Amino acid sequence: MSHRTIAVGDIHGCATALDSLLRSIDPKPDDTLITLGDYIDRGPNSRAVIDKLILLAGQCRLIRLVGNHEEMLMQAWSDKAAIKKWLEVGGVDTLRSYGWVRGGAPRPLREWFPRPHQEFIEGCQSYWETPTHIFVHAGVLPDLALNQQPAAALRWRVASAENALPHCSQKTVVVGHTPQFSGDILDLGHLVCIDTNCVRRGWLTAVNVESGQIWQANQAGETRKNRLRSATVRV
């Protein structure tokens, strides 16, 4: 089987959807899977998502990127003042998946996370680049090289048809972060957003950037397939 380069959108603790998606993809050792960040928060089982991704790293080449939710968690690990903000954006759901119960004995936040999970999150990269594609969590400023991009763009920029311009590299930019409430990918040709809102009853999406093959799964375990409209011109 030929090598595949597959991007996976925002998971947000949706472990059932991730399991169904990976069964559909059936990753092989020669495949490269780029997970775009936001593995945690809001969904029902962030711990199971991280466990699954750690196992996945032994089945294929896994490139894991950092999302704004991982960024907020790491800030909360080192700064007590940042904990409240993280809890308000889904951190409570993440803590529950690690065994926290309201009214339980207080513990430092970091201690709720097993060491392999801490290492997984802290080892995430800001971006990944191939000869034809750029992968980031949220977006890029069009006129700056990747190594000059501010963290605010990489992890917080909103992707839309109104503000997305082609990157100066002329590579296709693949992002998550901005939920597509329709459940369909935002495909602008030069930019593809694959956050299809799984955590709010949408779909978890993966796309093979060479072939344009799309896989999707939801929290009910249902799956569907499609193809990028721009695939014939972006391969």
Side-chain angles (χ1 to χ4, degrees), residues 41-92:
D41 297 349
R42 295 183 174 148
N45 205 337
S46 293
R47 179 171 188 156
V49 166
I50 301 298
D51 279 333
K52 186 70 174 181
L53 293 175
I54 290 172
L55 290 174
L56 182 63
Q59 300 170 21
C60 63
R61 184 187 188 198
L62 180 66
I63 306 296
R64 58 192 197 270
L65 304 187
V66 62
N68 61 302
H69 282 260
E70 288 77 46
E71 179 181 79
M72 287 187 285
L73 173 58
M74 288 187 284
Q75 290 171 347
W77 280 344
S78 58
D79 180 4
K80 289 184 178 180
I83 294 176
K84 183 175 184 292
K85 178 182 178 182
W86 174 67
L87 292 174
E88 290 173 346
V89 296
V92 169

Side-chain angles (χ1 to χ4, degrees), residues 50-151:
I50 301 298
D51 279 333
K52 186 70 174 181
L53 293 175
I54 290 172
L55 290 174
L56 182 63
Q59 300 170 21
C60 63
R61 184 187 188 198
L62 180 66
I63 306 296
R64 58 192 197 270
L65 304 187
V66 62
N68 61 302
H69 282 260
E70 288 77 46
E71 179 181 79
M72 287 187 285
L73 173 58
M74 288 187 284
Q75 290 171 347
W77 280 344
S78 58
D79 180 4
K80 289 184 178 180
I83 294 176
K84 183 175 184 292
K85 178 182 178 182
W86 174 67
L87 292 174
E88 290 173 346
V89 296
V92 169
D93 302 296
T94 296
L95 274 181
R96 286 188 180 124
S97 75
Y98 283 89
W100 175 84
V101 292
R102 192 176 298 276
R107 291 167 57 183
L109 179 61
R110 182 186 280 267
E111 289 186 7
W112 286 99
F113 297 82
R115 171 54 59 182
H117 289 217
Q118 295 179 38
E119 293 172 350
F120 178 94
I121 292 169
E122 291 175 329
C124 290
Q125 303 172 218
S126 291
Y127 58 82
W128 182 254
E129 187 175 14
T130 72
T132 56
H133 288 76
I134 291 169
F135 302 87
V136 299
H137 174 64
V140 294
L141 300 181
D143 298 326
L144 292 181
L146 276 180
N147 60 6
Q148 298 175 329
Q149 294 285 334

Side-chain angles (χ1 to χ4, degrees), residues 198-219:
C198 183
V199 75
R200 298 182 186 91
R201 300 184 181 180
W203 297 86
L204 177 60
T205 293
V207 58
N208 180 332
V209 300
E210 285 100 5
S211 71
Q213 172 71 58
I214 297 168
W215 300 265
Q216 293 186 307
N218 62 23
Q219 273 293 86

